Amino acid sequence: VLVDEFHSRVGKSVRVDTVETPWTGAASEWIRLWNYRLFFEVTQAAFAEASAFCAPQAARLGLKLRTGSVKPEGIPPVAQVVDFLVAAHAARVPYKFTAGLHHACGGDYPLTYEADAPRARLFGFTSLFTLACLHWAGHISHSELATELASGGAPRADADGLGWNDWRCSVAEVQEYRQRGGRSFGSCSFGEPLQELQEMGWIC
């Protein structure tokens, strides 16, 4: 109803393309009622079920995982993120991430801008997407994905693709992964991702 009301106000100048919603047992009803691309936010208990459900309609359906919080206990452990990636990659289902990825590289960071903010290890969007791409393309195993994701570190980018330690993804592999696998991430900050990408030399 809210989307319909929005469309009635803006006319044809703007159209909603994608709707995100929590995964529930009513997923089939969502598909019947909504003619949009749908991304279901899932918890660990639903990784396998939701991936299998989305796989036959992967051009339209995908998954979303929350990867951060303003409290350390709200950040998922590495094993949970790996389980999510393994399930999504096995089903060849696209996915998004939300929260906790506004830093470019994995590492220990304050969780808010307060002077006494708690600190925790965050995954970093270039680190997470590079390692996920390597796993999607079959260059690293599940255990290697877990080990490297826990290590922090920074990927390398050049005209030939992405690199992490001795592993590489070609430009063609990155393009396939971005089209069919890891689609995007949400960030509460606009400045930090840009600044850190500039510091890495990835953008001017």
Side-chain angles (χ1 to χ4, degrees):
V1 174
L2 292 176
V3 175
D4 293 337
E5 291 177 353
F6 173 77
H7 284 160
S8 69
R9 291 199 309 271
V10 301
K12 296 182 179 180
S13 58
V14 179
R15 304 299 291 177
V16 171
D17 173 76
T18 301
V19 173
E20 299 177 359
T21 183
W23 170 262
T24 69
S28 296
E29 187 70 4
W30 275 101
I31 294 175
R32 186 182 69 81
L33 293 174
W34 290 78
N35 187 28
Y36 301 105
R37 173 180 285 276
L38 297 173
F39 279 80
F40 298 104
E41 184 170 333
V42 290
T43 59
Q44 190 168 18
F47 288 169
E49 178 188 9
S51 296
F53 178 84
C54 293
Q57 299 188 63
R60 182 186 171 201
L61 305 180
L63 306 176
K64 186 173 78 165
L65 181 68
R66 185 165 296 275
T67 50
S69 173
V70 296
K71 298 180 179 179
E73 60 269 23
I75 300 170
V78 168
Q80 184 174 325
V81 177
V82 170
D83 286 348
F84 173 83
L85 290 171
V86 168
H89 291 178
R92 278 324 200 223
V93 171
Y95 53 84
K96 300 179 177 184
F97 296 107
T98 183
L101 290 179
H102 54 284
H103 290 288
C105 298
D108 293 320
Y109 298 99
L111 300 184
T112 70
Y113 296 107
E114 303 298 326
D116 58 348
R119 298 179 67 90
R121 177 166 290 276
L122 300 176
F123 297 107
F125 62 90
T126 67
S127 301
L128 180 54
F129 278 107
T130 298
L131 290 167
C133 184
L134 287 164
H135 184 265
W136 172 278
H139 296 309
I140 61 175
S141 66
H142 303 171
S143 61
E144 288 168 333
L145 173 62
T147 298
E148 299 303 322
L149 195 57
S151 72
R156 303 183 311 278
D158 56 36
D160 296 321
L162 286 173
W164 185 282
N165 293 340
D166 294 330
W167 299 297
R168 289 196 60 83
C169 274
S170 68
V171 171
E173 288 171 327
V174 174
Q175 290 173 331
E176 183 202 6
Y177 168 71
R178 291 286 289 112
Q179 291 169 357
R180 299 181 56 206
R183 301 299 296 273
S184 63
F185 71 97
S187 174
C188 60
S189 171
F190 185 78
E192 283 171 322
L194 291 178
Q195 178 182 344
E196 293 179 19
L197 287 174
Q198 289 171 334
E199 292 170 355
M200 293 169 67
W202 284 29
I203 61 175
C204 297

